[in-house]
Amino acid sequence: MIEPLPELHAVCLDLVQLFGRCAPLQVDLGCGDGSFLCDLARQFPEKNFLGIERLTKRVEKVRRKAAMIDNLRVLGTDTLFAVQYLLPESSVETFYLLFPDPWPKRRHEQRRIFTSDFLDAIATALEQNGILRVATDQLDYFRYLERLSLAHSRFNPVDFHDAVLPSTKFERQFCKQGAPIYRLTLRKTSPVK
């Protein structure tokens, strides 16, 4: 007879302990080489920044870049796991999901991070009126993101063209190639009762 495994419980991050202070938190999901995240953390020293990246070599690269930036931490883990289980409820001011893999082949669509479950987890972790910013160079993926977002009861699209944000490595590459960048900004709304 096979014994059942004990139930595992993830413990939410203690953000005050992690950063050594209480400040608004912004999270870069899949922070890549960290250039965007480091620039953003330098631009807004009054805020805390957390990069989440599952690839170990990228995590180490970002940690080296961020060594002298006091308001930035990097977590090496799966993005959805971190959002669902590690980030406390209503703890995040802004999430960034910049140039996620679109998995364009139909047989790979189930690998996309942007799903209803993902939006549910983001809504739980976001503070009231919190923001999710998404960017992609793929028009089909952008239309998919829009469709899913408009169908979700906890988000409304908003215009945020006034925000001056650093560019990512991918964004610079795509712009150099003349590819258009599609952006979606969503605000968490109160649940309808």
Side-chain angles (χ1 to χ4, degrees), residues 1-6:
M1 181 174 174
I2 298 176
E3 294 289 321
L5 292 173

Side-chain angles (χ1 to χ4, degrees), residues 29 79-85 87-90 92 95 115-126 152 154-155 188:
L29 303 169
T79 299
L80 185 57
F81 174 82
V83 175
Q84 282 181 319
Y85 301 109
L87 292 172
E89 188 173 332
S90 302
V92 179
F95 278 108
T115 64
S116 291
D117 288 343
F118 172 76
L119 285 173
D120 289 343
I122 292 289
T124 299
L126 276 174
H152 199 281
R154 297 298 307 274
F155 291 99
K188 176 182 170 179

Side-chain angles (χ1 to χ4, degrees), residues 25-29 48-52 87 92 94-97:
L25 177 65
Q26 298 199 5
V27 179
D28 187 4
L29 303 169
N48 290 335
F49 292 88
L50 178 65
I52 298 173
L87 292 172
V92 179
T94 305
F95 278 108
Y96 300 93
L97 182 64

Side-chain angles (χ1 to χ4, degrees), residues 7-50:
E7 193 172 319
L8 299 176
H9 297 281
V11 177
C12 283
L13 295 171
D14 181 334
L15 298 172
V16 173
Q17 181 182 13
L18 181 65
F19 287 94
R21 67 179 188 167
C22 186
L25 177 65
Q26 298 199 5
V27 179
D28 187 4
L29 303 169
C31 61
D33 74 347
S35 58
F36 168 81
L37 185 61
C38 290
D39 288 347
L40 201 59
R42 285 187 201 100
Q43 188 176 342
F44 298 101
E46 73 281 4
K47 298 179 187 277
N48 290 335
F49 292 88
L50 178 65

Side-chain angles (χ1 to χ4, degrees), residues 43-87:
Q43 188 176 342
F44 298 101
E46 73 281 4
K47 298 179 187 277
N48 290 335
F49 292 88
L50 178 65
I52 298 173
E53 177 59 58
R54 71 177 179 82
L55 299 175
T56 307
K57 288 185 180 186
R58 286 185 182 173
V59 170
E60 290 308 315
K61 187 175 188 177
V62 178
R63 284 187 178 147
R64 282 191 303 274
K65 284 183 178 182
M68 302 303 283
I69 305 174
D70 292 334
N71 62 332
L72 192 154
R73 304 292 183 271
V74 184
L75 182 61
T77 190
D78 177 75
T79 299
L80 185 57
F81 174 82
V83 175
Q84 282 181 319
Y85 301 109
L86 301 181
L87 292 172

